[in-house]
């Protein structure tokens, strides 16, 4: 069954599940340590400085902004448009890595970029021409 959620409704539906998944998965993949004897190199044994706390808060704030903008973007457009924009972002990241940092572009990367760009062009042209794609 397909439901027509608004951005805020989608956020309220997904957030509790995401919190529960993270609460279960983080201890499995990260060395947590113990409260009674926190070891160096674990989450509980890390010595926090003002700089590290600042970066953690900045990163958390930016993550919150990205998450909220994602739900708002989906609420205004559609999940398909969000995926197309995500593919365009990936293409731009790979291309800027080649242009600015001299990354080597392999045949596999080129094929992936070509497929993503072909899909973006098709989606855009079908949206402009009145095709069945969701409006952008």
């Amino acid at each position: 069954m397909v439901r027509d959620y608004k951005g805020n409704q989608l956020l309220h539906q997904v957030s509790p599940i995401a919190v529960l998944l993270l609460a279960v998965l983080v201890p499995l993949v990260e060395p947590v340590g113990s409260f009674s004897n926190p070891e160096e190199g674990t989450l509980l044994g890390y010595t926090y400085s003002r700089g590290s706390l600042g970066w953690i808060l900045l990163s958390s704030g930016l993550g919150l902004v990205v998450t909220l903008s994602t739900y708002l973007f989906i609420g205004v457009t559609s999940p398909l448009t969000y995926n197309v924009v995500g593919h365009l972002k990936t293409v731009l990241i790979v291309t800027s890595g080649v242009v600015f940092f001299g990354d080597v572009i392999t045949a596999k990367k080129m094929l992936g970029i070509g497929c993503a760009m072909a899909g973006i062009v098709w989606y855009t042209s079908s949206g402009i021409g009145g095709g069945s794609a969701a409006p952008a």
Side-chain angles (χ1 to χ4, degrees):
M1 171 175 16
V2 177
R3 295 182 180 168
D4 188 24
Y5 284 116
K6 301 287 183 213
N8 287 338
Q9 292 170 321
L10 190 58
L11 181 63
H12 287 287
Q13 291 290 324
V14 172
S15 294
I17 297 167
V19 168
L20 287 174
L21 281 173
L22 285 173
V24 170
L25 292 176
V26 166
L28 295 176
V29 297
E30 294 288 336
V32 178
S34 66
F35 286 108
S36 60
N37 188 18
E39 299 174 21
E40 188 175 329
T42 63
L43 291 176
L44 295 175
Y46 182 76
T47 305
Y48 294 95
S49 66
R50 284 186 182 202
S52 65
L53 285 175
W55 283 110
I56 290 169
L57 291 173
L58 179 66
S59 176
S60 300
L62 290 174
L64 178 67
V65 168
V66 167
T67 302
L68 289 175
S69 65
T70 298
Y71 289 109
L72 293 173
F73 186 82
I74 291 172
V76 172
T77 60
S78 71
L80 180 60
T81 302
Y82 173 73
N83 279 325
V84 169
V85 170
H87 290 312
L88 179 62
K89 180 187 77 170
T90 302
V91 168
L92 290 173
I93 289 170
V94 171
T95 305
S96 64
V98 170
V99 171
F100 296 116
F101 302 111
D103 279 353
V104 177
I105 188 153
T106 63
K108 191 175 185 180
K109 281 184 186 177
M110 186 60 84
L111 179 65
I113 290 172
C115 287
M117 289 305 295
I120 291 167
V121 168
W122 172 81
Y123 178 76
T124 303
S125 65
S126 65
I128 291 172
S132 61

